[in-house]
Amino acid sequence: MILLTGGAGYIGSHVCMALLDAGLDVVAVDNLSNSNKASLERVQSICGRSLVFRHADIRDEAAIYDILRCCGVTAVIHLAGLKAVGDSNVQPITYYENNVLGTMRLVSAMTKAKVKTLVFSSSATVYGIPTYLPLDEKHPLGPTNPYGRTKLFIEEMLKDLHRSDDEWRIGILRYFNPVGAHESGLVGEDPLGVPNNLLPFVAQVAIGRRDKLTIWGNDYDTPDGTGIRDFIHVVDLASGHLSALRHLKEPGLLTVNLGTGAGSSVLDVVRTFEAVSGRPIPYAIGERRAGDVAICYADPTLAERVLGWKSTRSLAQMCSDHWCWQSKNPDGYRGAEHPERSSDF
Ligand code: NAD
Ligand code: UD1
């Protein structure tokens, strides 16, 4: 049985499908602070298998310990966390409390329950401003915002934990820019309020929820002047978790990038989204966004060499699956969940 924290969220719901499709049993834990359990209800119907859902907070060590023991958990995939960079500048302590303290409590419960296999979602944001490209795992670390620092501190904490007890099996996955949705269009990203990230904003412009996209700067030193990122299909990203879990059959600690190795510009994304959706994406050019870098993309060779994992889906597939989700669910999951919102199943 695998415990998946943050299981109702965007990436969590896709990881859940990867696990169920591989025949593994899943208990998903989420406090639903940024998600809706309708995602997991849909995961069950897509996969034709049931999972266990527990409405709980990772900071509640006793509750997590009970779940670990009662469900017979053998490994944890830990995605629960707050992730909005701008928000983390405004309320840093909330981020440290939720992400860092939450992980400490989770790991304490795991230690007590003698569950010592952990896959953790970190982020390419730990690299900060690139000093060379592509970004490999040896690149110096220096996040530029509190959210990124919570990820870095958790990484360091997990390394200390592994040094103290080498029975631990730990996989630290540094995601690049996850986008797209499950091919069914039933599960996808459902941001609250105005999206910060590019793809959800573009999708909401395409569906008519927003008038236009603002492109944050077209004077970067890139071929078309707009920022370049390593967008990765969320289904490819999810399968990387399964590969990491399989790799952790032996004790050890592995830190690995999950990206495609290819960069796409903001304008590439806009043009591709227009082509697959058949909808215009009006845009205006704005000032550069504080904290943005010009170019960021992964060297994914370690993941391929050690995990045997590689992303396979194109930018067109990412945009088309994102559009399928957005057009089938113009208001996300709102109104889709079973009436007893916080009840377990
Ligand atoms: P998300 O907000 O959709 O999912 C996170 C889930 O964790 C949500 O369902 C939320 O309700 C839950 N949660 C938050 N705090 C919790 C707590 N204390 N106890 C229990 N549940 C809690 O975000 P996502 O995009 O699916 O991201 C998942 C993880 O991946 C996060 O840790 C995030 O930092 C990391 N990550 C995401 C991205 C990205 O672009 N989406 C990039 C790099 C890393
Ligand atoms: C952002 C975060 C990063 C986090 C990641 C995933 C910052 C500085 N970085 O990455 O820490 O891990 O999200 O949550 O916030 N863009 C526009 N208009 C928009 C939105 C985005 O032009 O409305 C541009 C950005 O300037 C950037 C690119 O699109 O060049 C990608 O932006 P975004 O999707 O927010 O991802 P990152 O900035 O890479």
Side-chain angles (χ1 to χ4, degrees), residues 20-337:
L20 291 176
D21 284 344
L24 295 166
D25 294 320
V26 178
V27 50
V29 164
D30 205 296
N31 67 1
L32 303 179
S33 59
N34 195 39
S35 53
N36 187 313
K37 73 181 172 68
S39 62
L40 292 174
E41 291 163 1
R42 291 186 180 183
V43 162
Q44 294 189 125
S45 56
I46 294 167
C47 297
R49 291 193 57 207
S50 56
L51 61 99
V52 180
F53 171 68
R54 292 286 176 266
H55 184 222
D57 194 298
I58 55 163
R59 289 165 292 183
D60 185 345
E61 190 178 323
I64 300 298
Y65 177 78
D66 280 349
I67 293 166
L68 290 167
R69 295 305 300 261
C70 296
C71 296
V73 171
T74 52
V76 176
I77 301 183
H78 173 35
L79 291 91
L82 299 176
K83 62 164 184 175
V85 172
D87 196 29
S88 79
N89 284 314
V90 179
Q91 31 180 353
I93 302 308
T94 303
Y95 273 67
Y96 286 112
E97 214 250 330
N98 197 80
N99 295 3
V100 180
L101 181 67
T103 305
M104 289 165 71
R105 295 259 166 83
L106 171 71
V107 166
S108 293
M110 289 175 68
T111 306
K112 284 181 192 145
K114 299 188 170 49
V115 177
K116 294 189 178 178
T117 303
L118 175 67
V119 176
F120 169 63
S121 27
S122 188
S123 167
T125 199
V126 297
Y127 294 118
I129 299 161
T131 55
Y132 61 84
L133 289 162
L135 289 160
D136 60 25
E137 291 80 0
K138 294 193 180 80
H139 187 282
L141 305 178
T144 55
N145 55 69
Y147 162 70
R149 279 186 281 275
T150 68
K151 293 293 180 189
L152 177 59
F153 295 167
I154 294 167
E155 286 197 6
E156 293 300 325
M157 195 167 80
L158 295 178
K159 286 176 193 160
D160 283 335
L161 180 68
H162 181 256
R163 276 182 213 111
S164 74
D165 174 357
D166 62 11
E167 282 180 10
W168 277 88
R169 300 145 194 242
I170 298 177
I172 295 174
L173 308 183
R174 293 180 178 154
Y175 309 160
F176 279 68
N177 288 60
V179 296
H182 186 258
E183 62 184 7
S184 64
L186 293 174
V187 175
E189 185 171 13
D190 182 17
L192 288 175
V194 182
N196 298 310
N197 297 123
L198 181 63
L199 256 292
F201 204 106
V202 167
Q204 291 191 6
V205 172
I207 201 77
R209 267 171 76 178
R210 319 233 164 243
D211 292 342
K212 64 173 188 310
L213 168 74
T214 302
I215 294 182
W216 306 124
N218 68 347
D219 57 353
Y220 285 106
D221 188 13
T222 61
D224 66 24
T226 65
I228 289 180
R229 295 291 182 277
D230 187 340
F231 298 100
I232 173 167
H233 198 296
V234 66
V235 173
D236 282 334
L237 186 83
S239 80
H241 294 70
L242 202 58
S243 306
L245 209 53
R246 289 187 175 130
H247 173 79
L248 294 177
K249 295 285 177 237
E250 299 299 324
L253 183 142
L254 174 73
T255 304
V256 70
N257 287 337
L258 293 185
T260 67
S264 304
S265 75
V266 175
L267 278 172
D268 289 335
V269 170
V270 170
R271 306 274 181 250
T272 308
F273 208 98
E274 285 182 324
V276 301
S277 66
R279 301 280 179 101
I281 311 289
Y283 65 83
I285 304 298
E287 295 293 309
R288 291 181 178 192
R289 183 173 66 177
D292 271 356
V293 298
I295 310 179
C296 171
Y297 60 97
D299 179 343
T301 49
L302 186 67
E304 188 173 358
R305 183 160 52 79
V306 178
L307 302 181
W309 171 91
K310 203 175 168 202
S311 77
T312 58
R313 291 165 178 81
S314 65
L315 182 64
Q317 186 76 52
M318 299 177 211
C319 291
S320 126
D321 288 339
H322 209 112
W323 173 239
C324 179
W325 152 255
Q326 180 70 72
S327 49
K328 281 189 178 172
N329 305 272
D331 296 316
Y333 293 114
R334 268 160 288 286
E337 77 272 39

